[in-house]
Amino acid sequence: MGVKKIEKLWGGRFKKNINKEMEEFISSLSFDKKLVKHDLLGSIAHAQMLGKCKIINEEEKDKIVEGLKQILKEVQKGKIEIVNGEAEDIHSWVENKLKEKIGTIAGKLHIARSRNDQIALDERLYLKEEVLIIQDLLKDLQKSLMLTAQKNLGIIMPGYTHLQHAQPILFSHHLMAYFYMFERDKGRIQDLNKRVDILPLGSAALAGTFFPIDREYVATQLGFNQVSENSLDAVSDRDYILEFLSASAILMMHLSRLSEEIILWSSKEFNFIELDDSFCTGSSIMPQKKNPDAAELIRGKTGRIYGNLINLLIMMKALPLAYNHDMQEDKEPLFDTVSTLEKSLFLMSKMIETMQVNKEKMETSTKGDFSTATELADYLVKKGLSFREAHKLVGNIVIYCLENKKILEDLTLSELNFFHKDFNKDVLKILKPQSAIDAKDSYGGTSLKMVKESIQKAKKTLN
Ligand code: ARG
């Protein structure tokens, strides 16, 4: 309705018009319009190369490049809108617009090029940009974690295994654990970018081209590090997108674990942190509610990020070479993963930055939780017992405490000596959570010294 019908790029061979439902079904414009800038930049570089290699003349080249640059400007200023249904895909849309501007010369832009190498180019250009944005967002998140760890240095919390109190740790140590997960995520993304950074243009439909093109020149113009080696491979593979979706799935898994902890920690039972009001919502019926929505949604959206990876893996499975229209289905999962990831990273970083830490609640919750029992066992090992013997003996001490409603810190030396004669006065101080933490001075451990060092190192890594 009201949409001007524009000619098909492939219309020449057809006697009949395309069926309307068919036309809608195959159209990708509604989503590949996201690639308009990349399509235009790729086209400009291609036209410049055609001119340089004298495949088109200087005047033709100038007209085409000028026309494309104008379209780019108008798109960026919001002067032209890309209306769904206006063209089959973004490549056709650009060419149609160019024809409106400069006439039939526009048709020369497609010499030595196919939409098959064009879409691979657009996606690579797009992903190269997004990879940088995501790395920056990851850095911001790491910075939030690092600064929050620094600000709260010294706060003790229970460390968990099986979600049961295990051993006391520093809250900062816990936060820094995520810092390192995100460091590896950053590394994975940086690494996969090497395989994104390859120019596919010049592969044409699948076989390369008869025209004397200069692919190195186009690569330099567009800032690609390398030119693809095999034309069939270049137009038919999407492994660089799959790598990105896998790295994103792993990254999202990390975000979902952090989200889960934030949700637990802000519950009444834990009450370790309080999220800032600006990252929570309330309930329409229960006036007292304050819900950790951002964290819940990041946790929830992890499902679709995994789904996007599986979607593309299945779509690509067993496709014969070279290009198949199935591959048009790669775009929505890719775009969805990028935007979900970017929003999640941003919100997570803000949530961490603005949350209040409840030092008192964290520290009192280690009281009487027997989480220094290992210290007691280690103490006996130092006196010459085997760890197994010591473990059993301390187990008996725990039973004694439970039966007599005592906590480890309450035990007197004579009570301890009842279990083993080698306990001396110095044992009493190792039962405090603080001493247990100080004692974990092995490299990468939770002692204040180690955590301080780790934060210092993290700072260097970020700079
Ligand atoms: N819209 C297509 C895609 O996203 C572009 C390539 C189309 N090539 C073709 N021969 N129909 O994959």
Side-chain angles (χ1 to χ4, degrees), residues 28 32 88-89 91 115-116 119 323 325 327-328 331:
S28 54
D32 67 14
E88 184 179 318
D89 53 28
H91 325 300
R115 283 183 294 166
N116 298 351
I119 187 61
Y323 178 82
H325 216 160
M327 286 154 66
Q328 178 166 295
K331 274 164 265 329

Side-chain angles (χ1 to χ4, degrees), residues 372-387 390-391 393-394 397 413 416-417 420-431 439-440:
T372 52
T374 322
E375 312 312 307
L376 214 49
D378 286 347
Y379 180 93
L380 289 174
V381 170
K382 271 192 253 162
K383 301 278 176 186
L385 269 72
S386 79
F387 190 77
H391 186 281
L393 197 141
V394 175
I397 296 178
L413 186 57
L416 285 167
N417 283 141
H420 203 280
K421 62 173 178 27
D422 283 349
F423 282 124
N424 290 321
K425 216 166 73 211
D426 59 349
V427 72
L428 298 174
K429 73 168 195 291
I430 67 157
L431 294 175
K440 302 298 181 307

